[in-house]
Amino acid sequence: MLLLVSLAALAAAVSVRDAAAYKPKFRISPMDGSKIALPTREQLAWQDKEIGVLIHYEIATYLDIDGCNNVPDLVPAVSLFDPTLLNTDQWMDSIVALGAKYATLVAKHNCGFATWPSKVRFPTRGGGGGGGHHDRAAGYNYTIADSPVHGTDLVGRFVKSAKRYGVGHGFYYSVVVNNFLNVQNSAVRNTELAPGQVGITNETYNQIVFDQLTELWTKYGTLTEIWFDGGYSSAQMGKIEDLLQKHQSQAVIFNGCQENGTCVSANSVRWIGTEMGQAPEENWSTGLTNDGGDSGSPFFCPAECDTTLQTQDRWFWGVNQPLRPIKEMIDVYHKTVGRNCVLELDLAPDRSGLIPANQAARYKQLGDFIASCYGKPVAAKRSRPVDGGAYSVEFARPTAIDRVSLMEDQTDGQVIRSYQVHARIVDADGEGGGGENQPWTLVSNGTSVGHKKIDIFAKPVTVTELRVSSTFVDTPKWRAVTAHLCDELTAKMVAAAE
Ligand SMILES: *[C@@H]1O[C@H](CO)[C@@H](O)[C@H](O)[C@H]1NC(C)=O
Ligand SMILES: *[C@@H]1O[C@H](CO)[C@@H](O)[C@H](O)[C@H]1NC(C)=O
Ligand SMILES: *[C@@H]1O[C@H](CO)[C@@H](O)[C@H](O)[C@H]1NC(C)=O
Ligand SMILES: *[C@@H]1O[C@H](CO)[C@@H](O)[C@H](O)[C@H]1NC(C)=O
Ligand SMILES: CC(=O)N[C@H]1CO[C@H](CO)[C@@H](O)[C@@H]1O
């Protein structure tokens, strides 16, 4: 799926217009004078969603390879796209069962096939070898309207289903690669045209991109997320920024910033730097690099962790491609959502146009685990912030727990720099008092909290009270500190799956 191309590598020498009037918003710490990056409402709302899906379904679903990446001459025959059971409501059943709150659909991947009936027209020219340079007007004739299921607008159907199910929707449209138009790295290659390719100029290519983005951004409602796989060239950046501000300024933009601080939107989010579904243990909501970020950065730009349900980093549905076991997917949840990273899980409808039963079952299993383990915390007698940025959870009686979930209110920025969770531990019978004289034991600690941090203990402990202390650059506002006990649930689910 992803083009593991660094944004800097795409930067062409010329810039059509100076992009990025955008300046980061921050305030100054009253405690140490450091910069505290401020989020937008949209970024916080997006982090609250915690889980989304990235849907890979288009002509590449009908190939044996995982998309047209790195095969620049391949333009799969449009007749391949022939789903017989296409049902986007059925996709939503899995999305809802997983607990995902938004879905980003690949509207055009690297083959160039558009899953909506694009009406964009453009001048063509004979390719490298022959045909001369006579420009002719042509339609973008590599879309669903040219396929056996012409008359269907897949993008439109998806949007309708998402609305019906109360799921946010967005689009992935690669501006960097388009085999149909002989484009790699945002530039038209100077090569002989391969079968199925159409010859155009670089200027025409960028115009097609802007016209197709305009179609997607004006005809399908308000978008939750827009995905730029591999970013965009500096020649495309300024116009993309303008179009976004004009049509979809509220959308969260994946790869919206470059490392040097040039951003196409204030609502940018960053890539975590791996497709394994794993954020670093320490992962800040701030920073522009494709990793755990930087607590001192003036840019609030939280991370997204995209990963697959199929093994081997397979994004499009693969024949007999095994799925990752539930044990591994539970681990993915903890290493993404539990590390302040929004989890975006791949959804790969098969060649009939449906989510296969084994995948649907796995999404539901994972969703059931999350709801059972984290839906309702272990009951506490009293749970409240206390002086000095600390937080206290008291239990009515000795209570077994095996993990804590911490959430910071980031409205005025992410301010906690480290935390320690101490517990008054008693043995399982409640011996050892648990009263005022019971000593405190460190049960977990870390650095970044952000939207959410989940710490799982090596084994359950029986406690009467928890106390979370922290270091910070301004007095923290805790959103929640909850305790959970899920060791048996986890063991049961893993055993049932074996
Ligand atoms: C950042 O990089 C982009 C290209 O990658 C360039 O267009 C822009 O001018 C750079 N901005 C700064 C502030 O250096
Ligand atoms: C698509 O349009 C191009 C340019 O007009 C043309 O050469 C090509 O034959 C068309 N393809 C199909 C499948 O009709
Ligand atoms: C498009 O631009 C690139 C450089 O950015 C150049 O190498 C290529 O030859 C151009 N393509 C055409 C068809 O002119
Ligand atoms: C957590 O506590 C251990 C033991 O005191 C300490 O070695 C470690 O540095 C702490 N880690 C963090 C991130 O504070
Ligand atoms: C503990 C940990 O994984 N820390 C990482 C957080 O992210 C920064 C930036 O990538 C890394 O330098 C740290 O190693």
Side-chain angles (χ1 to χ4, degrees):
M1 180 245 13
L2 267 183
L3 296 156
L4 301 178
V5 183
S6 94
L7 295 170
L10 295 174
V14 281
S15 175
V16 164
R17 121 196 193 317
D18 269 348
Y22 172 70
K23 295 272 185 301
K25 292 208 170 55
F26 58 85
R27 65 188 175 98
I28 298 297
S29 160
M31 299 182 64
D32 66 4
S34 63
K35 288 174 182 167
I36 302 174
L38 294 170
T40 64
R41 214 174 47 230
E42 289 82 359
Q43 287 171 319
L44 292 184
W46 176 77
Q47 281 189 301
D48 268 353
K49 295 185 192 301
E50 295 192 350
I51 304 176
V53 295
L54 187 56
I55 307 176
H56 279 75
Y57 177 67
E58 49 97 56
I59 206 151
T61 301
Y62 300 84
L63 303 177
D64 289 335
I65 55 175
D66 195 23
C68 281
N69 319 347
N70 307 317
V71 200
D73 283 339
L74 177 63
V75 183
V78 79
S79 59
L80 284 176
F81 190 79
D82 193 12
T84 49
L85 299 169
L86 181 63
N87 181 346
T88 49
D89 277 356
Q90 191 258 6
W91 303 0
M92 294 297 154
D93 291 334
S94 279
I95 292 167
V96 169
L98 170 66
K101 300 293 193 294
Y102 69 98
T104 298
L105 175 73
V106 167
K108 185 203 71 68
H109 205 263
N110 298 336
C111 299
F113 183 74
T115 56
W116 80 102
S118 174
K119 299 285 194 300
V120 167
R121 294 186 66 78
F122 54 91
T124 61
R125 50 193 292 143
H133 289 277
H134 308 292
D135 288 6
R136 302 189 304 275
Y140 193 101
N141 59 359
Y142 194 52
T143 79
I144 194 165
D146 306 290
S147 81
V149 291
H150 52 83
T152 303
D153 176 358
L154 172 59
V155 171
R157 278 209 200 179
F158 156 76
V159 170
K160 258 200 194 125
S161 295
K163 284 189 177 151
R164 197 176 300 139
Y165 280 71
V167 169
H169 70 278
F171 300 130
Y172 165 124
Y173 175 104
S174 160
V175 305
V176 174
V177 179
N178 187 322
N179 282 12
F180 169 61
L181 300 175
N182 196 23
V183 169
Q184 301 287 319
N185 296 330
S186 297
V188 179
R189 295 191 309 156
N190 235 327
T191 57
E192 191 91 20
L193 293 179
Q197 289 185 330
V198 171
I200 54 169
T201 65
N202 278 311
E203 292 66 36
T204 299
Y205 174 62
N206 282 336
Q207 192 58 48
I208 293 170
V209 165
F210 304 141
D211 289 348
Q212 292 200 325
L213 288 178
T214 302
E215 286 184 331
L216 287 173
W217 295 354
T218 58
K219 292 181 189 307
Y220 298 104
T222 303
L223 305 181
T224 298
E225 182 183 58
I226 293 173
W227 241 75
F228 289 109
D229 192 1
Y232 28 77
S233 68
S234 30
Q236 295 167 330
M237 189 164 48
K239 186 67 181 283
I240 284 175
E241 182 181 0
D242 291 345
L243 283 178
L244 277 175
Q245 294 320 312
K246 189 162 166 203
H247 302 302
Q248 297 286 347
S249 61
Q250 81 299 321
V252 156
I253 312 301
F254 177 86
N255 267 340
C257 288
Q258 316 226 7
E259 289 193 7
N260 69 7
T262 301
C263 301
V264 295
S265 167
N267 299 321
S268 295
V269 302
R270 69 180 204 275
W271 185 40
I272 198 64
T274 165
E275 295 187 350
M276 293 315 297
Q278 196 167 347
E281 172 77 38
E282 175 182 339
N283 176 34
W284 303 96
S285 297
T286 50
L288 299 177
T289 45
N290 293 134
D291 51 25
D294 172 6
S295 61
S297 169
F299 289 87
F300 195 96
C301 188
E304 182 161 46
C305 289
D306 57 320
T307 193
T308 62
L309 183 67
Q310 298 180 102
T311 52
Q312 294 178 308
D313 201 29
R314 175 92 191 190
W315 293 86
F316 287 100
W317 179 78
V319 184
N320 297 326
Q321 186 75 40
L323 305 184
R324 295 164 81 181
I326 186 64
K327 183 166 190 259
E328 188 176 332
M329 295 314 296
I330 290 173
D331 193 46
V332 161
Y333 174 79
H334 290 131
K335 287 180 172 158
T336 56
V337 175
R339 291 179 174 176
N340 192 35
C341 195
V342 170
L343 168 62
E344 192 169 42
L345 192 52
D346 180 42
L347 196 84
D350 67 14
R351 290 175 186 169
S352 74
L354 296 175
I355 305 300
N358 67 329
Q359 295 197 14
R362 189 61 39 90
Y363 291 119
K364 180 165 170 6
Q365 260 179 332
L366 181 57
D368 286 351
F369 168 81
I370 297 164
S372 307
C373 179
Y374 296 104
K376 204 161 144 253
V378 167
K381 179 177 73 181
R382 212 145 68 121
S383 179
R384 66 202 161 107
V386 289
D387 286 348
Y391 197 96
S392 152
V393 183
E394 295 166 72
F395 299 93
R397 59 192 66 81
T399 299
I401 63 172
D402 73 344
R403 65 196 67 200
V404 288
S405 169
L406 314 173
M407 293 178 80
E408 184 177 350
D409 179 342
Q410 301 178 101
T411 312
D412 298 317
Q414 181 177 11
V415 297
I416 295 169
R417 292 292 174 263
S418 74
Y419 66 88
Q420 299 77 38
V421 184
H422 287 90
R424 290 195 204 271
I425 300 183
V426 293
D427 66 32
D429 310 322
E431 297 292 324
E436 293 288 304
N437 298 329
Q438 190 67 21
W440 291 104
T441 306
L442 181 71
V443 287
S444 79
N445 64 338
T447 54
S448 170
V449 175
H451 172 71
K452 185 172 275 183
K453 181 77 189 338
I454 297 173
D455 288 342
I456 303 178
F457 312 151
K459 57 182 190 352
V461 289
T462 301
V463 303
T464 54
E465 191 176 351
L466 293 175
R467 176 70 60 111
V468 188
S469 56
S470 62
T471 63
F472 41 80
V473 291
D474 197 1
T475 307
K477 282 179 275 182
W478 291 98
R479 218 172 133 179
V481 174
T482 54
H484 306 261
L485 179 66
C486 314
D487 59 333
E488 285 175 14
L489 168 71
T490 311
K492 216 164 69 189
M493 285 196 109
V494 169
E498 271 160 6

mmCIF file of all heavy atoms in Angstrom, residues 280-282 291-293, ligand 5:
data_model
loop_
_atom_site.group_PDB
_atom_site.id
_atom_site.type_symbol
_atom_site.label_atom_id
_atom_site.label_comp_id
_atom_site.label_asym_id
_atom_site.label_seq_id
_atom_site.Cartn_x
_atom_site.Cartn_y
_atom_site.Cartn_z
ATOM 1 N N PRO A 280 6.213 3.710 19.177
ATOM 2 C CA PRO A 280 7.188 3.587 20.258
ATOM 3 C C PRO A 280 6.486 3.721 21.609
ATOM 4 O O PRO A 280 5.448 4.386 21.702
ATOM 5 C CB PRO A 280 8.138 4.768 20.037
ATOM 6 C CG PRO A 280 7.844 5.308 18.694
ATOM 7 C CD PRO A 280 6.455 4.893 18.333
ATOM 8 N N GLU A 281 7.045 3.106 22.606
ATOM 9 C CA GLU A 281 6.504 3.198 23.971
ATOM 10 C C GLU A 281 6.259 4.664 24.341
ATOM 11 O O GLU A 281 5.260 5.016 24.955
ATOM 12 C CB GLU A 281 7.522 2.556 24.933
ATOM 13 C CG GLU A 281 7.220 2.724 26.403
ATOM 14 C CD GLU A 281 6.127 1.782 26.882
ATOM 15 O OE1 GLU A 281 6.100 0.635 26.408
ATOM 16 O OE2 GLU A 281 5.307 2.203 27.716
ATOM 17 N N GLU A 282 7.177 5.496 23.911
ATOM 18 C CA GLU A 282 7.042 6.931 24.187
ATOM 19 C C GLU A 282 6.618 7.624 22.900
ATOM 20 O O GLU A 282 7.384 7.698 21.949
ATOM 21 C CB GLU A 282 8.416 7.448 24.655
ATOM 22 C CG GLU A 282 8.490 8.927 24.872
ATOM 23 C CD GLU A 282 9.912 9.342 25.280
ATOM 24 O OE1 GLU A 282 10.687 8.492 25.762
ATOM 25 O OE2 GLU A 282 10.222 10.528 25.111
ATOM 26 N N ASP A 291 7.918 9.211 13.678
ATOM 27 C CA ASP A 291 8.322 8.327 14.771
ATOM 28 C C ASP A 291 7.559 8.758 16.024
ATOM 29 O O ASP A 291 6.439 9.254 15.906
ATOM 30 C CB ASP A 291 9.844 8.393 14.970
ATOM 31 C CG ASP A 291 10.348 9.824 15.100
ATOM 32 O OD1 ASP A 291 9.564 10.708 15.506
ATOM 33 O OD2 ASP A 291 11.536 10.065 14.800
ATOM 34 N N GLY A 292 8.167 8.607 17.199
ATOM 35 C CA GLY A 292 7.472 8.943 18.447
ATOM 36 C C GLY A 292 7.300 10.431 18.696
ATOM 37 O O GLY A 292 6.770 10.827 19.731
ATOM 38 N N GLY A 293 7.731 11.273 17.755
ATOM 39 C CA GLY A 293 7.518 12.704 17.899
ATOM 40 C C GLY A 293 8.478 13.355 18.870
ATOM 41 O O GLY A 293 9.545 12.821 19.163
HETATM 42 C C1 LIG B 5 10.775 4.911 24.741
HETATM 43 C C2 LIG B 5 10.722 5.269 23.297
HETATM 44 O O1 LIG B 5 10.363 4.476 22.470
HETATM 45 N N1 LIG B 5 11.065 6.507 23.023
HETATM 46 C C3 LIG B 5 11.117 7.011 21.685
HETATM 47 C C4 LIG B 5 10.054 8.063 21.477
HETATM 48 O O2 LIG B 5 10.138 8.629 20.219
HETATM 49 C C5 LIG B 5 11.382 9.287 20.003
HETATM 50 C C6 LIG B 5 11.320 9.893 18.639
HETATM 51 O O3 LIG B 5 11.145 8.840 17.727
HETATM 52 C C7 LIG B 5 12.530 8.306 20.115
HETATM 53 O O4 LIG B 5 13.746 9.006 19.991
HETATM 54 C C8 LIG B 5 12.469 7.605 21.448
HETATM 55 O O5 LIG B 5 13.430 6.594 21.489
#
